[in-house]
Amino acid sequence: MPFSEGLLIALKALWANKLRSFLTVLGNIIAITSIVAVVSVIQGMNSYVEEKVAGLGANLFVLRKGPFIITSHEAADQIRKRRRITLEDQEEVRRSVVSARFIGAHVSSPHKVRFRERYIDEVEIQGQGLPVLIPADFEVERGRLFSTTEVERARNVAVLGFEVADKLFAGADPVGKEVKIDETSYTILGVAKEQGAVLGVSQDKIVAIPISAYQKQFGNLDSVDVPVEGADEAAVAALKDEIRMVMRVRHHLKPGQEDDFALESSESLTSFWKQISAAIFGAASGLVSLSLVVGGIVIMNIMLVSVTERTKEIGIRKALGAKRRHILWQFLIESIALSTLGGILGVLAGYGLCLLIRALTPLPTSMSPYSIVLALGIVFVVGLVFGIYPANRAARLDPIEALRYE
C-alpha cells in the first residue's frame, strides 16, 4: 500500500470519529504546547540575557566588591564584610595597568528627583567616572555629557535618562534647567538615548552625575564598581591577572588567601543563566515526557478499540488478497497520523501561548524552527512506538475468524 493511500485512509478514519480523535490526542496537544512554550521562552531569554542583561561586551569586565550573582545568605554575609572598592583603588589600577584601553568608575543608589512640583521617586542616581562604560550602550542624545574638569571639580551637573526627562518636562527641552536630587540642585547638561526595559524594568529611569559630585552629596561609603575595557577579547585574561595582583597587594592578601573582590564579566551572567535554563529545561522535559507517555498509552488503547471495531473490515481485506504487512502498515500510519495531528495542534497552541506570554508579561519569547521540528519528531516517534502493538495485533488476525466476527 502506498504511503499516500494509507494516510488518506487514516485521515478518513480520524475524521469519522472527530471528537474521539481529539480527546485521544489531547495528551499530545498539552505536552507539545508545553514544550514549544518552554523552549521558546528559554530561547527568548537566552537572546535577551546576551543582548540586554549581560551586554557588557566581550572585552569589558568589572572590578567590584562581590559577584553579580549571590546565591546564598552565607555568601552575602561574607561579601558584606569585605573591604569596599574605592576611587583610590581605581586610581591605583589606572596607574599600574597601562594596557587597559579604558577604566571607568560607577556607583548608584535610588533617590527622589524633582522639577518644580513634579517629582519621581526611586530614580537610579548613577555616579559616573569618565568614560562612561556602564551601561555599555550609554549615549547622550541631546545636549552633552559632563567633562573631565566637571568631574574633577565635583560640579553639580547631570544627564537625565529618557524616562526622567519625559516625565519631568513632558516634551520640553530640559537642557540648561535645574532639577533637585533629594534637596541638592543639579544643572541639566543633556538627555541620554532611550535604552528600553530589561525584564520590565526601565533602563531610562536614571540620572547620571559626576562620581565626585555623587560622593560629595551621598558620602563615599558605597563600594565603587570599576569597569575595565581591554583592547580586544584576547587581552581580557591578562588584564584580569594584572588587576588581581594590584588589588591583592592593596588589600594585603597573603599567598593562597582568597580574593576579597570580584572580576566579573558578561560571561558570569550568561553562565549562571545557562545553569538555570538547563535546570528549567530538564524539569520541563520530565513533565512533558510523562504527558507523552500517557498520551501514547491513550493512543494505543484507542487503536486497539479501532482494531476490534474494524475486525470484519480487516477480514475482508485479507480475503481480497491484502498481506499482513499491508494491514500492519495501515494501522501504523493511522497511529502516527493521530499522534502527529496532536503535535501539529500542540505547535499551533504553543505559538498562540508564546504570543500571549509576550503580550501579557515582560518575558521575551523566540519560536525557532528547531523547536517545531523537535516537537513533531517526538510525536512521530510516540505514534510509531505506541502503534506497533495494535497494528501487529490487527495484522495477525486470522481472516476466517475476522469475517465471522460480529
Side-chain angles (χ1 to χ4, degrees), residues 302-372:
I302 292 300
M303 291 304 299
L304 287 171
V305 171
S306 179
V307 170
T308 303
E309 289 176 344
R310 293 156 65 186
T311 300
K312 200 159 215 172
E313 175 194 327
I314 296 169
I316 294 171
R317 292 198 63 193
K318 283 199 167 184
L320 292 175
K323 298 186 180 300
R324 285 180 60 181
R325 68 173 183 277
H326 295 146
I327 305 299
L328 182 80
W329 185 234
Q330 177 187 339
F331 280 88
L332 211 50
I333 290 176
E334 193 169 318
S335 172
I336 293 171
L338 193 61
S339 183
T340 306
L341 177 65
I344 293 171
L345 293 175
V347 168
L348 294 175
Y351 179 69
L353 187 57
C354 288
L355 294 179
L356 204 61
I357 291 171
R358 194 183 300 171
L360 300 179
T361 74
L363 290 175
T365 60
S366 174
M367 192 168 174
S368 69
Y370 159 76
S371 61
I372 297 174

Side-chain angles (χ1 to χ4, degrees), residues 66-259:
F68 288 136
I69 308 292
I70 301 171
T71 55
S72 69
H73 292 296
E74 292 76 13
D77 287 338
Q78 289 179 356
I79 291 166
R80 199 175 298 117
K81 294 173 185 173
R82 287 180 175 179
R83 293 177 58 175
R84 57 193 174 85
I85 307 296
T86 64
L87 283 180
E88 289 72 25
D89 291 328
Q90 186 236 18
E91 282 301 321
E92 182 61 32
V93 168
R94 184 172 279 171
R95 274 195 299 271
S96 305
V97 184
V98 294
S99 55
R101 188 177 176 192
F102 295 117
I103 297 177
H106 174 276
V107 63
S108 65
S109 56
H111 297 274
K112 179 187 285 188
V113 179
R114 180 189 297 275
F115 175 69
R116 296 176 182 169
E117 290 77 26
R118 297 176 186 167
Y119 66 89
I120 309 175
D121 284 322
E122 300 291 314
V123 176
E124 184 184 342
I125 307 301
Q126 298 182 348
Q128 295 277 11
L130 292 177
V132 176
L133 299 177
I134 300 176
D137 52 354
F138 182 86
E139 188 178 333
V140 177
E141 189 176 62
R142 280 179 284 165
R144 67 174 178 87
L145 184 61
F146 33 82
S147 64
T148 304
T149 303
E150 287 164 332
V151 174
E152 290 172 352
R153 296 183 180 179
R155 293 281 172 79
N156 286 4
V157 290
V159 173
L160 303 186
F162 187 86
E163 181 183 333
V164 176
D166 186 53
K167 287 185 175 177
L168 291 183
F169 295 92
D173 187 4
V175 176
K177 297 184 173 62
E178 285 194 348
V179 291
K180 286 193 172 181
I181 299 176
D182 289 345
E183 297 304 322
T184 304
S185 296
Y186 283 80
T187 302
I188 301 168
L189 298 180
V191 178
K193 187 178 178 182
E194 186 174 8
Q195 297 182 57
V198 174
L199 298 177
V201 179
S202 173
Q203 301 301 293
D204 299 305
K205 195 178 172 183
I206 63 161
V207 174
I209 62 177
I211 193 166
S212 49
Y214 179 97
Q215 292 193 334
K216 185 175 69 176
Q217 181 176 358
F218 303 113
N220 59 359
L221 296 180
D222 291 337
S223 185
V224 175
D225 288 349
V226 180
V228 180
E229 185 177 314
D232 51 47
E233 189 176 354
V236 168
L239 263 177
K240 282 185 175 179
D241 287 341
E242 287 185 62
I243 292 174
R244 179 174 286 110
M245 291 304 299
V246 171
M247 292 304 299
R248 287 185 66 86
V249 170
R250 281 188 66 80
H251 286 191
H252 308 293
L253 298 178
K254 297 175 182 175
Q257 192 174 351
E258 187 181 356
D259 291 343

Side-chain angles (χ1 to χ4, degrees), residues 14 20-21 23-28 291-310 331-332 334-339 379 381-394:
L14 296 178
R20 188 174 78 178
S21 300
L23 294 176
T24 303
V25 299
L26 195 56
N28 280 15
S291 299
L292 286 171
V293 169
V294 173
I297 291 172
V298 173
I299 289 174
M300 185 171 68
N301 285 338
I302 292 300
M303 291 304 299
L304 287 171
V305 171
S306 179
V307 170
T308 303
E309 289 176 344
R310 293 156 65 186
F331 280 88
L332 211 50
E334 193 169 318
S335 172
I336 293 171
L338 193 61
S339 183
V379 290
V381 172
V382 168
L384 178 66
V385 170
F386 288 91
I388 287 175
Y389 177 68
N392 190 49
R393 185 170 174 178

